[in-house]
Amino acid sequence: MAAHLKKRVYEEFSKVVQIPHEEAPAKKLRLSKPSKSAALHIDLCKATNSTDALQYLLHFARKPVETESVEGVVRILLEHYYKETDNSVRLKIASLLGLLSKTQGFSPDCIVDDAINTLGNEKSHQVLAQLMDTLLVIGTQLPESPAVRQRLIEVACKHLSDTYFGVRNKCLQLLGCLGMVDTPLTKDNEGLGISLVPLKLRDVQSIISDYFGDQDPRVRTAALKAMLQLHERGMKIHEIIYDQACRLLSDDYEQVRSAAVQMVWVLSHLYPESIVPIPSSNEEIRLVDDAFGKISHMVSDGSWMVRVQAAKTLGSMLQVSPQFLEQTLDKKLMSDLRRKRTAHERAKELFTSGEFSSGRKWADDAPKEKLDTNTVNLIASGACGAFVHGLEDEMFEVRIAAVEALCQLARSSASFAEKCLDFLVDMFNDEIEEVRLQSIHVLREISTHITLREDQLDTVLAVLEDSSRDIREALHELICYTNVSTKECVQLALLELLKNLNKYPTDRNSVWKCLKFMGSRHPTLVLPLVPELLSTHPYFDTPEPDMDDPAYIAVLVLVFNAAKSCPTMPALFSDHTFRHYSYLRDSLSHLVPPLRLPGNGLDLVDSRCGLGSVESAQLFLQQSLNRVSTIQNLEAPGAQDLLDFTIRDLRRLGELQTELAGAADFCATYLRCQLLLMKVVGVLSILEETYKLEFLYSGLDSRQVATIHHVRLQAKALQLILTARTRLDSLISSCEKFLQDIESFQRLFLTELPHLQDSFVDKLLELMPRLSSCKPVELVKILQTTLRQSGLLQLRLPEQIHRATATIIEPTGESDNPLRFTTGLVVALDIDATLEHVQDPQNNVKVQVLYPDGQSHVIHPKPGDFRKPGPDRHRLITQVYLSHTAWTEPSQIEVRLLLAYSSSSTSLSSPSKLGWSDSIDSLPTPETAVEGTIPFSKPVKVYIMPKPARR
Amino acid sequence: RSCILVSIGGKNIMLDCGMHMGYNDDRRFPDFSYITQNGRLTDFLDCVIISHFHLDHCGALPFMSEMVGYDGPIYMTHPTKAICPILLEDFRKITVDKKGETNFFTSQMIKDCMKKVVPLNLHQTVQVDDELEIKAYYAGHVLGAAMVHIKVGSESVVYTGDYNMTPDRHLGAAWIDKCRPDILISESTYATTIRDSKRCRERDFLKKVHESIERGGKVLIPVFALGRAQELCILLETFWERMNLKAPIYFSTGLTEKANHYYKLFITWTNQKIRKTFVQRNMFEFKHIKAFDRSYADNPGPMVVFATPGMLHAGQSLQIFKKWAGNEKNMVIMPGYCVQGTIGHKILNGQRKLEMEGRSTLDVKLQVEYMSFSAHADAKGIMQLIRMAEPRNMLLVHGEAVKMEFLKGKIEQEFSIDCYMPANGETVTVTTNPSVPVDISLNLLKREMALGGPLPDPKKPRTMHGTLIMKENSLKLVSSEQALKELGLNEHQLRFTCRVQLQDPHSDTDTLHRIYTHLKSVLKGYTIQHLPDGTVMVESIVIKVSSSTEDPNTKVLLLSWSYQFGSDLYCLKRGFFF
C-alpha cells in the first residue's frame, strides 16, 4: 500500500514539475506544446545554415523524450522537414522520426499519414531510403493494425522501382517485416476495396522474388533476406521460389550466395518430399536431396564465409537420403589414371588381412587397376565429397563447421557415423587445437554408434601424448565412452594410458576414471588379460606390487570394474589382490565398485549397500518430511527432538544416496533453520543458511523459493525482536526496513501467497494496515505473538535439486615442502577444481585465499579458465597469485572457492524473472539487494614461505 | 620449364622465364631469338612476369635481361624477389665454380637483373602502361607464388604459374575471384591424379618418425633447401611441441638458413594458423630445430636430420646416409620424387646393397620410407580453379601431353569451353569477343528507357534504333535526327513498291473498296483507312488500284511501304492470302 501511495505521490509531483515548463514557451508557440518540442523548435528556427541545424538535431537526439511530448516533437520535425532544402538535415529528421516512434508507450499510428506524405515530394534517394526505414519502424511498432500495414506495403511496392539500391533495399526489408503472413495480398485488396494497381494483385512473395534478379547484388541479398524474414514470421514460402534460390547459389557476390544457401535450406525443410527433376536427364529426386547436393556443392565455394555457412547448414539437413549422405564422404583417388586406394581403405584392408605393419615398402600405395577415363568424375557433382573438402579446408572456421555438421548427421544415422569415423579420427591431427578438441568431442558424442578398429584406436591413442591438458582430458572422456572390439585394443588402450600417466602424472584422476569405464564396458575382453595384467603365475608367487604406484592402481581399477559384471574373474586374483581391493574400496570408493567376493565378509557389507535403491531412499525422504509436518506447534514436547533426528537421518541419507544428496541436504538445512528459529538462537546463521538454500541449490521452483524467503522473513522478524530488546535508537529504521521486506515478499510471491495460508507472512499481511501505522514497540509485540503462533511451513519435496559443489583437486594440501618465494614478489599457485551444478560459473565462482594473519583475498578467475567437460559440470583450471610480507617460518594458507550471489539478479528461476525485473523498474530498491558469497568447497591448505628479499 | 609468351590487345608479355635443369648446353635456356629474330627484346616485350622462385620458372632471367638484353619491367612478388637471387646465386655457384662452365651469368648480372624487378603485392592492380594492368593472386605452392591476371581493355588472361588448391602446414590454398578471363593458362603437372587427404600422409610421416625416435633410432630426411623442407620443419616442430618430445632435430646449414629468414619475414604469405599465431610466436622460429654440424652425425641417441640435397646423390645427405645405413634402427624418409640413377631411387626400389665409388659396397640395413609431399594442384584442384575463375578458354601447360589429353577432355566435357594444350614452341591463337565501348546520347537513352520496362536488365541484350557515328577515334550512338543534324544531311525516305495483278471485273473504285472491306475483316487490330484520294492505308502501307491499259479486267495493285515497316507488310500478306 505504501508503495502505491508513494507512487501516486511521485506521479503527482512530477506533474507539478511539468507545468511551469509548459508555460514558459507557450507564449511563442501553441499552448499545448510541451517543453521539449518547443526548445527544439526554437533551436531549429535559430539555425541559419544546415550544419547548425544538423548540430541541433544531433544534440537533441542524445536526450530521451517523454512519451507525452513525442507527437508534438514529431509535428515540429515534419514542419521543418518540408522547409528544409539540405539533404543531410532531412535525412537526420527522417531518422529521428523513426527513433521517436520507438519511444516506449507512444503509438505511432497518428504519424503514419504524415510520414507517408513526406515520401511524395522527396527527390533525394538517400532520404527516401531513410524514410522507408522510418516507415518500417513505425510498421513494426504497430503490429495490431492491418490497415496501416496494408498502406505501408503499398507504399513500399510503389517505391520498389526506384533506381537507387538503398530505397529498394529498404522497401524489400519492409515487405519482409510487414508482409501479410496469413493471407495473400489480393484478398486483402478486394476486401478493403482499394483501387487495384497491377502490382498489388500479386502476393508479397512473388513481388519479392522479382527482385532476386535485380542488377544490384545488395538488392538481391535484401530480397533473399526479406523472404527469410517472411519465413521467420511464419509465412509458408512457395515452392516455386526454390528454383530461383538455386540459381542465386551461383551468384557472383558472396553475400547473395550466403543468403541463397539459407533460403535453399529453409525450403528444403518446408518441402522435403517434393520431387524435382534433374536437369539434362529425366530422372527426379526429392527436393531435400537436391538441396543437400546443391549446398554440398557450396562447401567448395570461393568465399570462406559461404563455405562456413554451407557446412553449418548441412548438419541440420537430417531428412536427406542415406545414399546422398554417404556421398559426402566419397573420394576416389587416382594416379596416372589408375585407381588408387585411399589411406583409409588401405588401413582397413591391412586390418582385415591381419597384417599390422604398414608402409614398409615404397609404393605400397601403388595404383592398381586402370581406370576408364569416362567414369572419372573430376568435378564434385552434387554431394560428392563435400565433407572431404570441408574437412581439408584452409580456414579452421570451415573445418570446425564441417566437424560439427558431421556430428549432427552422424548422431541421427548410425551407418553414416561408422563411415565418417575415419575422417574424424584424421581430424585429431589438425594443426589447430580447437579443431582437434572439437573433433574429439564429436567423436565422443557419436560413440554410441561406433566401435573403433584397432588401427583407428591406435591413431586416437597417439593423441594421449599431446601436451595440451584439454586435449588429453577430452580424450579420456572419449575413451570412457568408446567401444572397442578386441582384447588387444583394451591392452593397447591400457598401455597408452599408463604411458600417459607416466608422462603427465597430474592426469591421474582422469586416467583412473577412464579405466573404470573401460573395465565396466568390456568385462569379457578384460578377462583373458587378467593374469597378465596382475602378473600372476600359475605356479610361482609373484612379488606384491607397490600399492602406491598410480600405474598399479590404474590396472586394478580396470580389473575390479570388469570383475563387477564378470563373476569368474575374482578366481584369478591372488591374495594380495583381495587385500588391495579392500584398501582401494575404502580409499577410492568412487572408482572401485562393490564386488561379491567369495568367502569374504566384504560380500555382505557391499551387497547391502547395493540394495538401497533410489526409490526406497526417496520414500524414506518423503516419510521423514511427512513426519516433520505433523508438528503443529513448535513448542510441543518432543518436536525439537524429532527435528534433530530427522536432520541427522537426512544428512546420512544424503551421504548414502548420491542421487538424492541434493534434496536430502536441502531438506536438512531447511529443517535446521526451523529448529534454530524454534530455539531462538543464531539469527545470523539462520539468515546465512537461507541464502545458502536459495543460491547453492539449483532446480528450485518458485514455491520453494517462497518458502525460503518466508524463513528468512521469520528470521528477520526475530532479529527485529531481539534488537528491540537491546537497542532502541535504530528501532524505527529497522521497522521501516522490515515493512519493506514484507512488501517485497508480497510483490515477489503474489502467485504463491495462496499456498502460504496460516503461515507467518499470511498473518502479517492480514495485519498489514495496522502494522504500517502503529508504533515500533507495538509492531514488535505483534511480531512476537505471530511468530509464536505460526506453525511450521511444510516443505514440498523438491523434484530435481542439486547442490552446487566444488572440489579442489589441486593443490592437494599434502605437500610438506613449502612454496618459497621472495617477499614483495608474487608466486603463482595452480588451482584445479571441478564444479558441479553451478550456474554461470564465469561470474559467480571466486577463489578465496586466507593468510594466517587473517588477511583474505578474493580472486575472480578469467572466464577462459572455466571449461565445460559435461552437462552441469565445470572445470576450473587457473592460477592465483600469492604475495605477502616476510615470515620467519613457513606457514599454511587456506584456499577455497566461493559462490557469489546477489539477490537482485539470481533470486528466481527464469519464468518469474520478468515480473521481478518489472518490479525493479517501478521501484528501484538497491538496498534490498543483498550480495554475498558462500564458501562451497572444502578449504585446502597450502604451505608457503615468503622469504625476505636479499639485499 | 616455363616460358610463355602472350600477345593480348597489342601487348606482348612474357610469363615466367625458366630454365631446363636437364641440359648443360644452350638448350637449357629458352631460345630468345625466336621472339624478335634480330631486334632488341625491350622493344618487343612490354613486361616480364615471374610467378615464383623455382628455377624452372625464373632460372633464365639474368641470362635474358643481362646477356640477351632486356631493360623493361620485370614483375614478381616480394618474397619471390627476396628469395630468387639466393637460388640463382646458388645455382650459378654450382654450375660455374664446381662444374667449371663458362658463358654463364655472373653474380653482378644477377644483381643488375634484380634491379629491374618491380615488386607486386597480392590483389594489387598495377598499371604497366595506360592499357595493360596486372594483378596478383595467392597461389600456395611455395612462399610468394602468385597467379597473375593480365588485362588489356576488355581482354584478359590468367596465368597460374604453379599452384596448390589444398592448404598445407605453412601455406594456404590458391584463390582467385570470378574474373572470367578469356584464357586461363594453368599448369597441369598432376593432370591425371587425385590425391588423398594431406592429413593421412602427415600422420603417417609423423608416426614413422615418432616410432623410430622412440626406438632410439636416427632419422634422415633428405630435402631440397626450399619449399617442402620448411613445411616438414613446421610439421615436426609442432609435433615435437605437442608431444613434448626431447630428441634433437637438426637442419643442414647454408642456403636453408637464409631462406628460413625470409619465411619468418613474409608471414602474410603463409597460412591461417601461422598468420594468427605469429604475434605470440613466429612458427618459423624453431625451438626444437637447430643447425647441424658434421660432427653431430656420430652423436649417440635418437635424432632427426634434414639434409640437402633431396635425392641422396651428393653432399651432406649422402654422407650422413653412408654413416647411418648400417643400423636397422635408423630410418631414411624420402619426401619427394627421385630421378633414376640416384641412390635415392635405388633404395626406394628396394636395393639393399649399394655399390659405391671405389668398388666398395654398402649394406643398407636402415628402413626406407617414401612420402610424397607435393604442392601442385591435382586434377580436382585444377577443375576447382576453373570453376572459381570461369574462363572462356583454357590452356594447359607444364605437364605431360598424354595426361593433359585426359584433362582436356574432362574440361571440355564439364565446362563446355575450348581447351588447348600447345607443345613447346607452338602458338595458340584464341579469338576473343572484345566489347567496344560506345558513347550514347542521354536523350536517346532516356527515350529507350521510357519505351522499355521499369528497369533495364543488364543480363539481356536489347535492340534499339539509333545511328552510330564514327568520328576521329570515338564512337557515338545518337538518334537518327540528331545524326542528320550533326552531319548536315537531308533525310531520305526509302520506299519499296510492288505490283500485283488481279483479275477483277469491277471498276477501280469498287475493287479498292472490296480490298478495303476484305482487309478490314481479316486484319483485326490494325488501323485500316480508306482515304478519299483513292488509296487504302494499312498502317503505313499504301495500296492503290489501277486498271491495266490492255485489259480493263486486269487490275494492277500498287503496294508501297517504307523500309522500317516490313512487319506491317507481313501482316498485309497474311491478309491477302487468307
Side-chain angles (χ1 to χ4, degrees), chain A residues 372-434:
Chain A
D372 182 12
T373 43
N374 291 324
T375 58
V376 183
N377 201 4
L378 280 184
I379 200 148
S381 54
C384 259
F387 281 119
V388 178
H389 274 284
L391 294 176
E392 281 172 35
D393 199 273
E394 137 183 59
M395 311 298 284
F396 84 91
E397 290 91 342
V398 184
R399 296 200 296 266
I400 284 196
V403 167
E404 271 162 13
L406 264 186
C407 168
Q408 285 174 316
L409 292 169
R411 256 188 305 194
S412 62
S413 154
S415 69
F416 184 70
E418 195 69 47
K419 288 223 165 57
C420 72
L421 197 57
D422 273 325
F423 293 90
L424 278 177
V425 170
D426 270 354
M427 295 306 285
F428 284 18
N429 206 20
D430 197 272
E431 57 182 339
I432 291 192
E433 190 176 318
E434 275 173 271

Side-chain angles (χ1 to χ4, degrees), chain A residues 625 628-629 631-635 639-644 646-647 650-651 665-683 685-687 689-690 693 704 706-715 718 756 759-761 787-796:
Chain A
L625 285 181
V628 172
S629 68
I631 305 177
Q632 288 301 325
N633 191 348
L634 289 170
E635 271 150 31
Q640 291 198 359
D641 286 343
L642 179 61
L643 276 179
D644 261 336
T646 316
I647 291 169
L650 289 176
R651 293 237 188 262
D665 258 10
F666 180 77
C667 298
T669 317
Y670 175 74
L671 293 178
R672 203 176 101 82
C673 287
Q674 294 286 4
L675 187 66
L676 289 176
L677 267 178
M678 197 189 291
K679 289 180 179 165
V680 200
V681 283
V683 176
S685 84
I686 301 175
L687 282 176
E689 294 282 319
T690 59
L693 281 174
Q704 282 143 4
T707 323
I708 295 165
H709 276 246
H710 183 249
V711 175
R712 192 178 300 155
L713 205 62
Q714 279 176 309
L718 193 60
L756 299 175
S759 68
F760 172 66
V761 77
L787 200 57
R788 195 169 294 149
Q789 283 164 5
S790 60
L792 189 72
L793 192 62
Q794 215 211 315
L795 186 69
R796 201 173 57 166

Side-chain angles (χ1 to χ4, degrees), chain A residues 435-466:
Chain A
V435 183
R436 296 201 293 269
L437 200 57
Q438 182 67 34
S439 42
I440 294 174
H441 284 314
V442 165
L443 199 57
R444 191 193 73 216
E445 280 181 52
I446 62 171
S447 53
T448 46
H449 289 314
I450 52 170
T451 304
L452 285 178
R453 283 201 318 266
E454 190 171 339
D455 59 302
Q456 288 164 338
L457 187 71
D458 199 26
T459 321
V460 171
L461 291 173
V463 187
L464 274 178
E465 289 191 47
D466 203 297

Side-chain angles (χ1 to χ4, degrees), chain A residues 252 297 300 302 331 334 336 343 359 362 376 379 391-392 394 396-397 426 429-430 466-467 503, chain B residues 169 173 175 180 192-197 199-200 203 241-243 272 348-349 369 387 403 410 414:
Chain A
D252 280 8
H297 200 53
S300 47
K331 61 174 176 184
M334 62 172 190
D336 294 353
W362 115 279
V376 183
I379 200 148
L391 294 176
E392 281 172 35
E394 137 183 59
F396 84 91
E397 290 91 342
D426 270 354
N429 206 20
D430 197 272
D466 203 297
S467 59
K503 203 164 176 182
Chain B
R169 287 283 167 159
W175 183 85
R180 299 194 171 91
T192 56
T193 301
I194 302 172
R195 280 176 305 173
D196 201 351
S197 112
R199 246 179 232 109
C200 296
R203 201 186 55 215
E241 189 88 22
R242 260 179 73 190
M243 297 301 175
Q272 192 191 17
L348 279 180
N349 280 328
E369 303 285 357
R387 191 158 86 93
K403 297 180 179 178
K410 281 285 160 195
E414 301 275 359

Side-chain angles (χ1 to χ4, degrees), chain B residues 427-482:
Chain B
T427 307
V428 170
T429 314
V430 175
T431 47
T432 57
N433 229 342
S435 56
V436 184
V438 172
D439 293 331
I440 184 165
S441 86
L442 199 61
N443 286 332
L444 185 63
L445 199 64
K446 279 187 177 160
R447 206 168 66 186
E448 280 299 319
M449 263 190 53
L451 282 177
L455 278 175
D457 188 346
K459 299 212 173 110
K460 279 185 196 147
R462 190 154 143 180
T463 49
M464 60 190 292
H465 287 289
T467 314
L468 188 71
I469 303 177
M470 292 171 76
K471 217 187 213 172
E472 282 134 27
N473 251 340
S474 68
L475 295 173
K476 233 173 19 174
L477 192 65
V478 294
S479 63
S480 44
E481 298 86 35
Q482 197 188 341

